[in-house]
Amino acid sequence: LSNVETAYWNLEPSQLIEDNILRGEGVLSSTGALAIDTGEFTGRSPQDRFIVEDDITRDAVWWGSVNKKFD
């Protein structure tokens, strides 16, 4: 990593949750799960779908502009 003031890795899930809540990035839901509002852009682009082409998928996937081959 470059241009990073502080980096953390291999944190326990409880530490990740606590850090997110303290930074105001998430809240605990009524079930105890971490809930995060990702804003307007919440999913992948339909053009970012890649599927491994192998013996199983070769004739089972409709290949084209959405389902792109990845080998």
Side-chain angles (χ1 to χ4, degrees), residues 2-14:
S2 60
N3 298 323
V4 175
E5 187 173 315
T6 305
Y8 303 93
W9 57 92
N10 295 330
L11 296 176
E12 294 294 323
S14 59

Side-chain angles (χ1 to χ4, degrees), residues 7-56:
Y8 303 93
W9 57 92
N10 295 330
L11 296 176
E12 294 294 323
S14 59
Q15 188 63 52
L16 291 170
I17 292 169
E18 182 179 345
D19 290 351
N20 273 269
I21 292 170
L22 291 175
R23 285 196 298 261
E25 296 171 350
V27 297
L28 285 182
S29 71
S30 61
T31 63
L34 179 65
I36 298 175
D37 183 359
T38 59
E40 180 181 354
F41 304 102
T42 59
R44 290 189 342 244
S45 166
Q47 299 303 317
D48 289 343
R49 183 178 168 120
F50 297 91
I51 302 171
V52 173
E53 181 188 17
D54 59 16
D55 292 338
I56 297 170

